[in-house]
C-alpha cells in the first residue's frame, strides 16, 4: 500500500541501488529545457556531456536538444535533498525526449529528510517537464512504463499518489 511512510522508507532504503524519477515515455524540448532551468535555479551544474564526449556549458544545453539524435548526461550538486543528481536525456527527435533523474539514498540527508520537501521537488520537476505522468522507482525495477499494478519497484506514480500542487 502506497502511503507517506512507505514512500519515505523506500526513498531512504540503503539497499545499494539508486532511485530514478521518470516522466511519461517522452517529453518535448520545452519540457527538457524546463527541467534544466529548474535545476539550474537550485543546484549547480558540475558536468554536462554529450554522448560523443563533448563537454557542454549550461547556456549551450537548450540548443543542444535541437541536435538529433542525441544524448546528454548532466551532474548537479546542491544544498537540497537530494544533494547530488544525475540527469540523463536521450532523443531521436527534439519533440520526443526521454528524461531520467537519478540519485542514491545516500544523497538524501536521512536525519533531516522531509518527505514534503521531496514531494514538492518532484512536483516542480513534473510541472517543469510538462508531463502529466511521473514515476519514482527503484533502479532497474522490473516495470513497464510505471506499471504499479505489479508492485514491481515503483515507489509512487501519478497512478497512485497525488503530488502537492499537481
Amino acid at each position: 500500500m502506497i502511503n507517506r511512510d512507505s514512500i519515505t522508507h523506500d526513498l531512504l532504503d540503503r539497499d545499494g541501488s539508486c532511485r530514478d524519477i521518470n516522466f511519461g515515455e517522452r517529453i518535448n524540448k520545452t519540457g527538457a529545457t524546463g527541467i534544466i532551468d529548474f535545476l539550474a535555479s537550485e543546484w549547480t551544474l558540475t558536468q554536462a556531456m554529450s554522448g560523443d564526449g563533448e563537454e557542454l556549458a549550461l547556456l549551450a544545453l537548450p540548443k543542444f536538444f535541437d541536435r538529433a539524435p542525441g544524448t546528454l548526461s548532466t551532474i548537479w550538486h546542491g544544498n537540497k535533498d537530494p544533494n547530488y543528481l544525475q540527469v540523463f536525456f536521450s532523443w531521436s527527435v527534439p519533440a520526443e525526449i526521454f528524461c531520467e533523474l537519478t540519485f542514491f539514498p545516500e544523497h538524501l540527508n536521512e536525519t533531516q529528510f522531509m518527505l514534503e520537501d521531496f514531494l514538492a521537488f518532484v512536483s516542480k520537476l513534473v510541472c517543469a517537464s510538462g508531463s502529466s505522468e511521473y514515476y519514482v522507482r527503484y533502479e532497474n525495477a522490473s516495470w513497464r512504463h510505471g506499471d504499479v499494478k505489479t508492485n514491481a519497484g515503483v515507489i509512487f506514480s501519478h497512478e497512485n499518489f497525488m503530488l502537492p500542487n499537481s
Side-chain angles (χ1 to χ4, degrees):
M1 177 180 185
I2 304 295
N3 59 46
R4 293 179 184 289
D5 289 339
S6 70
I7 291 171
T8 300
H9 173 271
D10 289 350
L11 290 172
L12 296 174
D13 181 18
R14 293 188 179 207
D15 66 340
S17 71
C18 64
R19 304 298 179 270
D20 296 321
I21 302 170
N22 297 97
F23 308 101
E25 288 290 316
R26 301 286 184 254
I27 58 176
N28 61 28
K29 179 184 171 186
T30 302
T33 302
I35 290 170
I36 287 175
D37 290 344
F38 166 65
L39 292 174
S41 74
E42 301 198 17
W43 280 266
T44 301
L45 177 67
T46 57
Q47 183 178 26
M49 189 163 292
S50 75
D52 297 328
E54 176 186 0
E55 289 201 40
L56 301 163
L58 178 61
L59 294 176
L61 299 184
K63 288 190 183 263
F64 187 74
F65 290 116
D66 291 331
R67 296 184 188 176
T71 61
L72 174 65
S73 297
T74 62
I75 299 174
W76 303 80
H77 287 94
N79 293 322
K80 304 269 184 185
D81 268 341
N83 61 18
Y84 176 88
L85 283 167
Q86 298 174 29
V87 184
F88 176 75
F89 300 91
S90 175
W91 63 97
S92 296
V93 295
E96 297 180 4
I97 300 172
F98 170 80
C99 176
E100 181 169 80
L101 293 91
T102 301
F103 64 93
F104 285 87
E106 294 80 26
H107 297 127
L108 299 171
N109 184 338
E110 189 171 355
T111 60
Q112 298 177 354
F113 180 75
M114 301 288 292
L115 180 59
E116 291 306 316
D117 292 342
F118 181 83
L119 295 174
F121 162 66
V122 175
S123 183
K124 289 176 184 176
L125 284 170
V126 170
C127 182
S129 76
S131 179
S132 60
E133 299 178 4
Y134 53 88
Y135 315 95
V136 177
R137 64 187 181 91
Y138 280 84
E139 167 189 29
N140 295 329
S142 174
W143 63 285
R144 179 185 161 103
H145 191 58
D147 180 13
V148 297
K149 294 175 186 80
T150 62
N151 193 23
V154 176
I155 297 168
F156 68 90
S157 80
H158 64 279
E159 292 184 359
N160 62 14
F161 191 83
M162 185 152 210
L163 292 169
N165 302 319
S166 63

